[in-house]
Amino acid sequence: WYANESFMSRHDHRDPLRARGFMLNFGLILLRSNAHVLSLMESTSEILSANEVNEQVALNEAFSQWSCQWKTQHVRIPEGIATYSALGSETLRGKCKRRGEDPLKIVVLPYAKVPRDWNELVDSSLGFHPGGVVDAKEDMLDRVKGLCRE
């Protein structure tokens, strides 16, 4: 959905987001105010200004400039299908570097903690981020409202 001709030409016809195995998603994100995060957000803003992409693609394009080492609680995981597979149930912790800078530390929650499908929502879920088109997301509002405690 995002890898149109413009995107692919910016990346020498390779998809760096697919190579990583997942996308960071603004559906649920916490950012600390530090030099690394500010630099990442500045790069994201530059990509948004120069290209016709949404904020999620711009963030991940900016993040693709960082080289990361990922691990679960105990095991180091290579990028790609292994990170995607691990995110089904495991939290990923990454140390990401760019141009010799100190590492940016990042934690990626597993899909089990923030499901995209209503039927995957369980008591241990921390959030819910429905996928699909806007109409489908709006249809979920009454269901989600019913989960909220007053």
Side-chain angles (χ1 to χ4, degrees):
W1 60 271
Y2 62 91
N4 60 27
E5 182 58 35
S6 174
F7 175 90
M8 295 302 285
S9 66
R10 286 195 304 279
H11 299 286
D12 296 322
H13 297 281
R14 293 177 300 119
D15 184 352
L17 310 188
R18 182 180 179 137
R20 176 145 285 155
F22 66 92
M23 281 193 189
L24 298 176
N25 195 306
F26 275 116
L28 176 66
I29 193 167
L30 170 67
L31 303 170
R32 290 188 172 174
S33 180
N34 62 45
H36 291 312
V37 172
L38 292 173
S39 175
L40 179 62
M41 292 299 105
E42 286 170 3
S43 295
T44 299
S45 181
E46 289 169 7
I47 291 167
L48 276 169
S49 296
N51 303 283
E52 291 186 24
V53 297
N54 67 28
E55 75 286 350
Q56 181 173 323
V57 173
L59 171 65
N60 284 281
E61 280 193 70
F63 187 51
S64 72
Q65 300 167 8
W66 296 72
S67 173
C68 301
Q69 292 184 346
W70 300 100
K71 67 178 188 172
T72 62
Q73 187 171 2
H74 302 290
V75 180
R76 204 161 155 213
I77 304 288
E79 287 192 323
I81 194 68
T83 52
Y84 176 79
S85 297
L87 277 172
S89 59
E90 303 260 2
T91 298
L92 290 181
R93 291 166 178 81
K95 287 188 178 179
C96 304
K97 289 189 172 188
R98 183 179 65 172
R99 290 181 251 138
E101 299 172 357
D102 290 335
L104 167 68
K105 296 176 186 173
I106 187 164
V107 176
V108 182
L109 297 175
Y111 299 116
K113 292 294 182 187
V114 188
R116 304 292 308 261
D117 186 309
W118 179 261
N119 297 319
E120 295 173 2
L121 196 61
V122 295
D123 289 342
S124 62
S125 297
L126 298 174
F128 174 58
H129 183 242
V133 297
V134 173
D135 289 344
K137 293 177 183 189
E138 289 175 345
D139 289 344
M140 288 289 146
L141 291 176
D142 284 335
R143 284 183 170 182
V144 172
K145 183 178 176 185
L147 296 174
C148 299
R149 296 184 179 99
E150 294 188 31

